[in-house]
Amino acid sequence: MANIRKPPTMADVARMAGVSPMTVSRAFKRDTSVSQETREAVLRASEELGYVFDSTASNLRSQRTDFVAVTIPSINNANFADTVRTLSDGLSERGLQVLLGYTNYDVREEERLIEQLLRRKPEAIVVTGGKHTPRARKLLSNAGIPVIETWDLPEEPIGHVVGFSNALAVRKMIDHFVTVGYRKIAFIGGDADRDTRGSDRRVGFVAAMKDHGLDATRLIAAGPPPISMREGANAMGKLLERFPDTEAVICVSDLSAFGALTECQRRGIEVPEQIAIGGFGDYEIGAICVPSLTTINAFSAEIGAKTAQLILDVLDGTLTDGAGLITIRPDLILRQTTR
């Protein structure tokens, strides 16, 4: 059995760099009292020794943990991945790291994760969406740290918000469909009880259709979220069988819309000549599929970047006039699946 080597210590780095252990600690924390030349010497010594700075004791003294807690509904959704990427990039410039929790579109799981994450004393917490269990709201309200709700515009924000109205975003597509002459329009979405943002998109669809004086009952449930391409295809099959005269359909996401598109191709139904298809999210697949997919760009990367900046502003004390509200304005991207 191989012996486990003892890891190098701060004292080892100090001896090699010719400085005190306290200077090593300050160099890793980028203390301005340490010159650039000394810091480079410390980093060279730590690199040679394979030393990893342990910030635990320092954080206990300073009451800082240097991480931001984040909950997202899905770890394989490109939109949420973009948000987390730009959020992480923005925070890392200040030495803050992201601790990620995955809710699987379940508000009860979100509640459990929020409690666990808050026990670790994060500098701030970011949650996806604005609808939570009563206990989760209480935990967030009493957390004593910045709380940022994203990807939504909640009616009663807990703290700060970086998001948009999912209902109004879908209305943009409905307005376009009606303008170019579509009247028999359907919506494909997921389980409204779990996917609150998808539910808001469905609400926006119904409201916009009624405002245009059109039938809003062509609603197809694709199953529990996240809705995959396969589920989108299956839902499109149901739509074509129940409402064969449908002229256009809006899908809750680009993935489900791509599935709907492939189902039409399997059945020999021409898009957009016989039926138009719109998605949501501006995924890469929507831009490269044939025909390319009309969609809504919700600027997922911008949500992450602006959330990071908001957190830094709050921690720096430069945002002091109550809760911050940053409204993202989604764009309608017209491509080949609509005329």
Side-chain angles (χ1 to χ4, degrees):
M1 180 176 178
N3 292 326
I4 299 176
R5 295 179 59 184
K6 183 179 179 181
T9 66
M10 186 180 294
D12 296 330
V13 176
R15 279 193 296 271
M16 179 172 284
V19 298
S20 69
M22 180 61 72
T23 300
V24 174
S25 177
R26 288 173 176 167
F28 274 98
K29 290 187 290 184
R30 302 194 68 80
D31 192 314
T32 55
S33 66
V34 178
S35 69
Q36 185 62 29
E37 181 181 0
T38 299
R39 179 173 290 110
E40 290 175 357
V42 168
L43 294 178
R44 282 196 302 270
S46 64
E47 179 73 18
E48 185 172 341
L49 291 170
Y51 171 73
V52 177
F53 178 61
D54 182 1
S55 63
T56 305
S58 175
N59 288 341
L60 285 173
R61 289 192 298 269
S62 65
Q63 297 297 304
R64 287 182 59 88
T65 56
D66 290 336
F67 80 86
V68 171
V70 180
T71 67
I72 58 172
S74 173
I75 57 177
N76 60 354
N77 180 303
N79 281 173
F80 296 133
D82 283 344
T83 296
V84 173
R85 173 178 54 81
T86 53
L87 171 62
S88 181
D89 289 346
L91 295 175
S92 65
E93 296 176 3
R94 297 282 290 275
L96 294 169
Q97 300 298 319
V98 164
L99 182 61
L100 196 61
Y102 161 53
T103 70
N104 194 28
Y105 293 91
D106 187 337
V107 291
R108 292 176 298 277
E109 176 64 9
E110 181 197 54
E111 175 189 308
R112 187 187 70 81
L113 283 172
I114 287 171
E115 181 175 17
Q116 282 197 341
L117 291 168
L118 290 178
R119 286 176 181 174
R120 298 176 180 269
K121 305 297 182 184
E123 307 292 328
I125 184 166
V126 179
V127 293
T128 303
K131 296 179 181 177
H132 321 280
T133 66
R135 184 166 180 268
R137 283 190 63 88
K138 184 177 293 186
L139 289 170
L140 293 170
S141 298
N142 297 331
I145 58 173
V147 175
I148 302 91
E149 293 169 287
T150 62
W151 276 89
D152 204 350
L153 289 182
E155 294 181 2
E156 298 181 8
I158 296 170
H160 309 281
V161 174
V162 181
F164 61 95
S165 169
N166 284 272
L168 292 181
V170 166
R171 179 179 287 270
K172 284 189 174 186
M173 190 171 289
I174 292 292
D175 291 345
H176 167 68
F177 278 178
V178 173
T179 298
V180 299
Y182 300 117
R183 294 294 181 270
K184 298 174 181 178
I185 307 170
F187 180 85
I188 289 176
D191 184 345
D193 291 334
R194 293 189 63 177
D195 184 4
T196 59
R197 286 158 302 286
S199 176
D200 287 344
R201 292 167 200 170
R202 173 175 169 157
V203 168
F205 167 82
V206 171
M209 290 290 286
K210 288 181 177 179
D211 287 347
H212 284 291
L214 300 175
D215 175 24
T217 62
R218 297 172 187 251
L219 304 170
I220 301 295
I227 305 302
S228 67
M229 290 180 271
R230 182 180 298 277
E231 289 164 330
N234 292 339
M236 188 66 177
K238 294 177 184 177
L239 172 64
L240 293 172
E241 291 163 8
R242 289 180 56 188
F243 305 104
D245 60 341
T246 298
E247 300 170 341
V249 57
I250 297 176
C251 300
V252 73
S253 70
D254 279 3
L255 294 182
S256 55
F258 178 77
L261 173 62
T262 58
E263 181 64 21
C264 288
Q265 292 171 336
R266 271 191 292 272
R267 295 179 180 229
I269 297 172
E270 295 183 349
V271 177
E273 289 79 9
Q274 291 176 267
I275 189 169
I277 299 175
F280 197 105
D282 193 22
Y283 288 50
E284 183 179 18
I285 194 172
I288 64 174
C289 65
V290 180
S292 57
L293 188 64
T294 290
T295 188
I296 296 288
N297 182 357
F299 300 105
S300 52
E302 183 180 348
I303 291 174
K306 289 187 178 297
T307 299
Q309 188 57 56
L310 188 149
I311 290 171
L312 296 179
D313 289 344
V314 173
L315 295 180
D316 287 343
T318 57
L319 181 62
T320 57
D321 296 329
L325 171 61
I326 299 175
T327 303
I328 305 297
R329 303 193 182 281
D331 273 352
L332 174 64
I333 300 177
L334 299 177
R335 296 198 181 112
Q336 298 169 339
T337 54
T338 58
R339 65 174 180 252

